[in-house]
Amino acid sequence: MPRSRKALRCKQKQMEQKQFQAESKKLMDMMIHSIYTHKEIFLRELISNASDAMDKLAYLSVTDGSMNVNRADLKITITRNKDEGILTVSDNGIGMNKEEMEENLGTICKSGSLGFKQAMEKNEDIDIIGQFGVGFYSAFMVASSVTVISKKWGEETGWKWTSDGADGYTIEPCDRAENGTDVIMTLKADTEEEKYSQYLDEYEIRNLVKKYSDYIRYPIVMEVEKSRQKEGCPADKPEYETYTEMETLNSMVPIWQRAKKDVTEEEYDTFYREKFYDFTEPLRVIHTSVEGAVSFKALLFVPGKAPYDFYSKDFKRGLQLYSSGVMIMENCEDLLPEHFRFVRGIVDSQDLSLNISREMLQHNRQLTVIARSIEKKIKSELKAMLENDREKYEEFYSAFGLQLKYGTVSEYGAHKESCQDLLLFYSHKQKKLISLKEYVEAMPEGQEKIYFAPGESKEHLAKLPQVELLSSKDYDTLLFTEEVDEFVPQTLNTYMEKPFCNVTTEDLGLQSEEEKKEAEEKAEEMKGFLTFVKESLGDQVKEVRLSQNLGSYPAAMVPEAGMSFEMEKYMKRVNPEFAYPVGRVLELNPEHETVKTLQRVMTEDPVLAKDYAQLLCCQAQLMAQLPLDDPFAYSELVCKLMK
């Protein structure tokens, strides 16, 4: 019998048919169809496994001087056979022998990478991506059958593992010239729902490598088609020909793995624009590296403007999460608190625990530690921008200040400590945006409260009687013009031990005990007059009272207690059926000539005095930006009094 036929028969005897050790076809189906959200993940998993195999070889070559391994020769090769529908991912890493094939491929959820890492756990320099061992089986999401050909470093025989992902697998000896592994996938036939042949397209593979595996530390190469001008063609009539050559698809070195001193501002800006598809430069780059119980590197960006959908439910917050250069999640929300949702960037850690697949992160202590560290770093950087680059911070604040306010009041103020120092409000006195800290530090001696006035515009609020009075005492007032503003002091209660005071609803606290006593005596003296005005106005107001807070104004309309008029407007916008209107109180300035005239007319002509009281009430409503119950009646009243 010819020698070659004897060898073939010998190999046939060695081929073994085996069942998967861990579970039945049902478990395999679950892994193939349920663990991964997107089928495209398979390529990321196989590339990561190949990277692991080369890491093992490189590491062992350092510890074993007899192994002659040139790290520069290590690479991952992707081969496409469109005619046969076959996609192959190859590496020249450590390879596997028969026992390792059975252990790592025949046992579902057995990870050779994890076992190697545990064996070498005393050496902190080893960095293996794979952690659980399910990644290889993702190939069956796109392949009807998978063949693995592998030869371990230093051994004579290669081994071939074949399975259709159903009941079991075969394993037999084979020839492979060099150490390493080939994962050969016969892709499934296209269906109406899924086009499996796309994974043989050059463009699609380029995209997947760029998206998930761009920062694998070894070259990922593939033969690609290119075009060039034929030699000898006339310049006016060029002819072109198509040719193929091997090309590296990945960049290999992540920018965040480089030292900050080695990265230029232009490189940061270019990376940000290309990675996050933004045409504007970032306002702040945060490049940090943390070593400790959990080690990670982060490259974060504060955008120059808000995306068009930033304040909509469609906006996706979160950071891109990598494990040793392999992208795990596109938007990891757990790494970024809601109040800093505008930040974009990347976090890379080799310490994360992985649950079943790289896509399903276990919400564990490590992730929480990283998130807290990132939150503190973002706050620190924003605070530094506020203190050292005010112009740029105000540019940031115009885009994202509203988000900081929402973050302050959300979850009953759970995150106020992270946000309160970053807030800016318009100062009536300084005519610009200031922080709460700047307000308190500028308070003159004797001022004990942080005064604020809510309303629709700065121009209107600046003319409020209470604001005028405070200004006369050199006290500043923060002008709140956004709906969320009024919730901020309710959430904070105090800032730097100073209480907040809404000038439209609360006592300004400007009167001494003696002045309060005089005011009470004045109110008692004018009790009959106040009763007359209240009866003249009827149900239009809940109360008529005197006030020492009106400055040069004769009257003002203020809310009864608690809720301000602006809050009432907000509640009605949120809920048109809001049924708890704020009671209106007419405050009168007893020192104003108009009030004194009204008091005199009351005794001379009570009918005319009622018209004057009505006119004063309508004017107070207009000053408070409240709608008149009957504008036509007001117009007729004005015309009547002008006769």
Side-chain angles (χ1 to χ4, degrees), residues 425 452 480 484-494 500-501:
F425 298 99
F452 68 91
F480 286 4
V484 68
D485 286 350
E486 198 172 347
F487 291 97
V488 173
Q490 294 178 12
T491 302
L492 298 182
N493 293 316
T494 63
F500 288 88
C501 177

Side-chain angles (χ1 to χ4, degrees), residues 277-319:
Y277 309 105
D278 194 345
F279 295 106
T280 60
E281 295 179 357
L283 290 177
R284 192 82 168 185
V285 177
I286 306 172
H287 191 171
T288 184
S289 178
V290 176
E291 302 290 337
V294 180
S295 300
F296 68 92
K297 297 180 186 294
L299 181 57
L300 312 175
F301 300 90
V302 177
K305 64 178 183 179
Y308 72 94
D309 62 345
F310 181 71
Y311 289 106
S312 74
K313 63 180 181 180
D314 297 326
F315 180 79
K316 292 183 178 180
R317 70 175 172 94
L319 302 175

Side-chain angles (χ1 to χ4, degrees), residues 152-207:
K152 187 169 184 178
W153 172 275
E155 298 195 4
E156 295 289 333
T157 305
W159 292 90
K160 178 179 179 180
W161 182 99
T162 304
S163 176
D164 61 5
D167 299 320
Y169 60 92
T170 62
I171 188 167
E172 60 184 310
C174 70
D175 294 325
R176 195 181 195 275
E178 299 177 344
N179 58 283
T181 301
D182 305 318
V183 180
I184 306 165
M185 293 162 281
T186 301
L187 300 184
K188 298 177 182 179
D190 288 347
T191 65
E192 292 184 4
E193 295 79 18
E194 198 72 44
K195 186 180 179 183
Y196 296 99
S197 60
Q198 67 178 315
Y199 301 118
L200 294 170
D201 293 339
E202 177 186 321
Y203 178 79
E204 180 67 14
I205 291 178
R206 281 182 180 275
N207 282 346

Side-chain angles (χ1 to χ4, degrees), residues 22-71:
E23 264 294 1
S24 62
K25 184 177 183 298
K26 182 177 181 181
L27 178 57
M28 177 70 83
D29 287 342
M30 183 194 73
M31 290 183 173
I32 295 172
H33 301 297
S34 301
I35 289 176
Y36 295 99
T37 307
H38 306 293
K39 289 183 171 61
E40 65 186 28
I41 296 296
F42 84 95
L43 189 59
R44 179 193 73 181
E45 296 298 306
L46 297 181
I47 289 174
S48 297
N49 289 344
S51 175
D52 290 346
M54 291 185 288
D55 278 341
K56 295 176 188 178
L57 182 61
Y59 176 77
L60 291 176
S61 69
V62 172
T63 58
D64 185 350
S66 65
M67 297 177 67
N68 184 21
V69 176
N70 185 355
R71 191 183 179 99

Side-chain angles (χ1 to χ4, degrees), residues 522 525-526 529-530 532-533 546-548 550-555 587-605 609 612-613 616:
K522 190 71 172 178
E525 178 186 330
M526 298 179 65
F529 170 70
L530 296 175
F532 171 81
V533 176
L546 300 182
S547 174
Q548 305 297 321
L550 301 184
S552 63
Y553 290 84
E587 291 189 339
L588 300 177
N589 184 351
E591 305 303 324
H592 199 279
E593 287 301 320
T594 299
V595 176
K596 292 179 179 179
T597 299
L598 177 57
Q599 189 176 11
R600 176 177 53 80
V601 172
M602 178 189 71
T603 60
E604 299 174 356
D605 188 347
Y612 281 165
L616 206 56

Side-chain angles (χ1 to χ4, degrees), residues 460-586:
H460 167 73
L461 292 173
K463 297 176 182 178
L464 288 177
Q466 299 90 335
V467 174
E468 179 190 79
L469 178 62
L470 290 167
S471 296
S472 70
K473 293 182 174 294
D474 200 29
Y475 291 174
D476 195 3
T477 306
L478 299 176
L479 307 185
F480 286 4
T481 56
E482 293 182 313
E483 289 181 341
V484 68
D485 286 350
E486 198 172 347
F487 291 97
V488 173
Q490 294 178 12
T491 302
L492 298 182
N493 293 316
T494 63
Y495 183 82
M496 293 178 67
E497 300 183 354
K498 299 294 183 181
F500 288 88
C501 177
N502 185 335
V503 302
T504 66
T505 63
E506 300 177 59
D507 179 15
L508 301 181
L510 303 179
Q511 292 178 301
S512 64
E513 291 301 320
E514 185 177 343
E515 289 172 329
K516 288 180 180 179
K517 185 177 180 180
E518 291 177 359
E520 291 173 0
E521 293 174 352
K522 190 71 172 178
E524 184 63 29
E525 178 186 330
M526 298 179 65
K527 185 175 181 181
F529 170 70
L530 296 175
T531 300
F532 171 81
V533 176
K534 171 64 176 77
E535 290 175 350
S536 299
L537 300 177
D539 293 337
Q540 295 179 68
V541 296
K542 286 277 188 180
E543 182 186 354
V544 179
R545 67 191 180 204
L546 300 182
S547 174
Q548 305 297 321
N549 297 331
L550 301 184
S552 63
Y553 290 84
M557 191 69 72
V558 299
E560 183 179 20
M563 188 181 298
S564 68
F565 291 139
E566 291 305 311
M567 187 69 72
E568 179 188 40
K569 294 174 186 177
Y570 170 76
M571 297 302 293
K572 286 181 177 179
R573 278 194 293 271
V574 174
N575 179 15
E577 298 180 1
F578 179 71
Y580 302 97
V582 177
R584 299 177 181 183
V585 176
L586 180 64

Side-chain angles (χ1 to χ4, degrees), residues 122-141:
K122 293 183 180 180
N123 190 314
E124 297 178 356
D125 294 331
I126 190 70
D127 176 17
I128 298 296
I129 300 170
Q131 297 287 316
F132 209 84
V134 180
F136 165 74
Y137 295 97
S138 64
F140 289 103
M141 292 191 296

